[in-house]
């Protein structure tokens, strides 16, 4: 038998403070490629990730130079939505832009 209700063994599971308040967070990255235009990536960073034009340009250049770059950090469902939004906007515009998420 499992011990979740401490029936036979006299054990009590205690938790000191903290009701496990924070959900797991996921980093969402953009990946570099040779075909997506810089302007389109900046548009995505502004529209999907709500970055300012200056921050969006800076993240785009870092992706261009380093191969990938952090677009934002979100809970699981929101991160999944952002990734899907990037892929559908890119596909609609005929660009191969990819986005990936990674548990923190
Ligand atoms: N490397 C692309 C170019 O030179 C620009 C680019 C930047 C593409 C960031 C994707 O996530 C990306 N046109």
């Amino acid at each position: 038998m499992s011990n979740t209700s401490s029936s036979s063994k006299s054990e009590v599971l205690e938790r000191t403070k903290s009701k496990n308040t924070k959900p797991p967070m996921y980093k969402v990255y953009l990946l570099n490629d040779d075909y997506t235009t810089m302007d389109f990536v900046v548009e995505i960073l502004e529209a999907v990730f709500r970055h300012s034009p200056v921050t969006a340009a800076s993240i785009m250049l870092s992706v261009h130079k380093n191969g990938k770059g952090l677009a934002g950090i979100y809970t699981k469902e929101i991160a999944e939505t952002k990734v899907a939004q990037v892929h559908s906007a890119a596909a609609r515009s005929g660009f191969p832009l990819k986005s990936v998420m990674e548990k923190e």
Side-chain angles (χ1 to χ4, degrees):
M1 195 207 257
S2 68
N3 195 31
T4 49
S5 61
S6 16
S7 48
S8 52
K9 298 183 191 162
S10 52
E11 289 176 15
V12 176
L13 294 177
E14 287 185 50
R15 178 156 44 220
T16 310
K17 269 262 177 116
S18 110
K19 267 254 175 182
N20 284 350
T21 88
K22 51 197 184 39
M25 301 299 281
Y26 290 75
K27 291 178 168 168
V28 176
Y29 294 96
L30 291 184
L31 305 184
N32 191 35
D33 67 71
D34 291 338
Y35 305 102
T36 305
T37 62
M38 292 183 168
D39 281 351
F40 183 79
V41 177
V42 170
E43 277 178 30
I44 289 288
L45 285 163
E46 292 178 21
V48 175
F49 297 96
R50 309 304 299 166
H51 288 297
S52 70
V54 168
T55 302
S58 158
I59 294 172
M60 181 280 294
L61 283 177
S62 123
V63 178
H64 178 68
K65 278 192 201 165
N66 304 319
K68 80 177 196 180
L70 185 62
I73 306 178
Y74 307 96
T75 55
K76 186 168 191 228
E77 195 183 345
I78 296 191
E80 284 167 349
T81 302
K82 303 280 182 195
V83 168
Q85 286 173 334
V86 170
H87 293 164
S88 77
R92 184 157 38 82
S93 301
F95 291 127
L97 179 64
K98 288 298 174 229
S99 178
V100 296
M101 57 190 273
E102 192 177 274
K103 196 172 184 185
E104 263 200 314

